[in-house]
Amino acid sequence: MNDLVRQRQIIELLRDRPFASVRELQERLGVSAATVRRDIDKIDESGGARKVYGGVSALDGAAQGTAFARPYDENRDLAVDAKRLIAELAATMVADGDAVIVNGGSTCFHLGVKLADRNVRLFTNSMPLAAYLGDHGKCSLTVAGGDLHREPRVIYSPSQPVSFYASKYFLGAQGISADGLLESHPLMVRAIQELSLNVDQIVVLADSRKFAIHARNVALSLSRIGTLITDEDISDQHAKMVEAAGVNLRIASNGGAA
């Protein structure tokens, strides 16, 4: 298969979905990660799609289908550099003695790791984060009660209301649009909405890929969000959308934070 054929196949794949990871394209096309990245560079240069952390994203409006939530283990390996930078900036918003809620999700996991040895009270519904903090953390840890849902790796029960109150609630999102934070999984929608009632400020941690993903359920409107932290690949269009909703937009980058 030559370069042009592979690149056409990648663009065709993005007609039905907003994003494809390097790993997925490797398996689908039967080539190396280096070859996939070269193809993505060429597609980005030609304007056929947009290069993003961890893979390639459809141009705005190109993907008309509804996205479904990726398994946690797959999503964990996407946009890792961006997620770490976002988590690093988010950690600066936490002061010693704070009580915070850190939601399930891979970007929030990175934040929890950075708070592990801090003098904070941390509540989480994330199974991976609770396990990590149990083994490695020194912070005060409260874990959500209820049933373990192996996908999306959270602990939740509608019959066990949360009695933990926090200054900040850190959460991610499967997708973001003018309607708000989007999720495919109804369980995540319920958990997010319930936890949002127990906090003073809501802080969203979302890499720029999320603005191209269109999930079917609105978990929270943008008007509920105090701050959104993303990476420097966010488009001007999406940045203006966030700021027009009254959200404080902060950009995490290797060169520092904005």
Side-chain angles (χ1 to χ4, degrees):
M1 185 186 304
N2 65 38
D3 295 357
L4 290 177
V5 171
R6 284 197 313 274
Q7 290 159 24
R8 280 199 298 268
Q9 288 191 6
I10 292 172
I11 292 172
E12 285 295 323
L13 179 65
L14 293 173
R15 294 187 189 280
D16 300 317
R17 56 195 301 182
F19 174 78
S21 69
V22 171
R23 176 188 291 182
E24 179 183 2
L25 293 174
Q26 271 186 266
E27 296 173 352
R28 182 180 288 265
L29 301 173
V31 294
S32 69
T35 297
V36 169
R37 291 191 180 96
R38 284 196 296 271
D39 286 338
I40 290 173
D41 286 338
K42 291 292 185 182
I43 293 169
D44 182 79
E45 290 170 7
S46 69
R50 187 164 62 95
K51 178 182 177 181
V52 296
Y53 284 104
V56 61
S57 174
L59 299 175
D60 292 343
Q64 302 299 324
T66 298
F68 292 89
R70 293 177 178 275
Y72 179 90
D73 286 347
E74 180 179 342
N75 191 52
R76 177 190 59 196
D77 297 333
L78 299 176
V80 174
D81 291 340
K83 291 173 181 178
R84 286 174 176 159
L85 289 171
I86 290 167
E88 184 175 343
L89 179 53
T92 67
M93 299 180 66
V94 180
D96 286 347
D98 272 356
V100 298
I101 296 176
V102 180
N103 204 60
S106 54
T107 309
C108 287
F109 177 87
H110 288 291
L111 172 61
V113 170
K114 292 184 180 298
L115 299 178
D117 293 329
R118 295 277 303 276
N119 178 25
V120 297
R121 295 174 54 230
L122 190 152
F123 173 98
T124 189
N125 58 3
S126 165
M127 179 182 70
L129 180 55
Y132 177 89
L133 293 176
D135 289 338
H136 306 288
K138 296 179 182 177
C139 64
S140 171
L141 174 64
T142 302
V143 180
D147 300 323
L148 169 61
H149 299 267
R150 288 183 171 81
E151 287 298 342
R153 298 289 183 92
V154 298
I155 303 165
Y156 174 75
S157 172
S159 63
Q160 298 190 38
V162 175
S163 58
F164 189 97
Y165 294 88
S167 61
K168 296 181 182 71
Y169 176 26
F170 295 94
L171 73 157
Q174 185 186 347
I176 302 173
S177 74
D179 293 326
L181 306 187
L182 309 177
E183 294 286 347
S184 293
H185 204 307
L187 180 147
M188 289 298 289
V189 174
R190 292 195 299 270
I192 287 169
Q193 291 175 346
E194 290 174 12
L195 289 172
S196 71
L197 301 176
N198 290 32
V199 300
D200 297 325
Q201 182 181 356
I202 297 173
V203 182
V204 176
L205 315 182
D207 63 83
S208 56
R209 295 176 306 117
K210 301 302 181 70
F211 290 92
I213 297 176
H214 306 283
R216 60 181 177 268
N217 301 309
V218 177
L220 290 177
S221 66
L222 289 182
S223 63
R224 296 287 311 283
I225 310 306
T227 299
L228 188 149
I229 305 176
T230 189
D231 59 78
E232 58 190 352
D233 283 340
I234 185 174
S235 69
D236 290 343
Q237 174 190 354
H238 291 136
K240 289 176 182 176
M241 177 190 77
V242 171
E243 292 172 334
V247 179
N248 176 31
L249 178 64
R250 300 190 67 183
I251 308 298
S253 71
N254 282 312

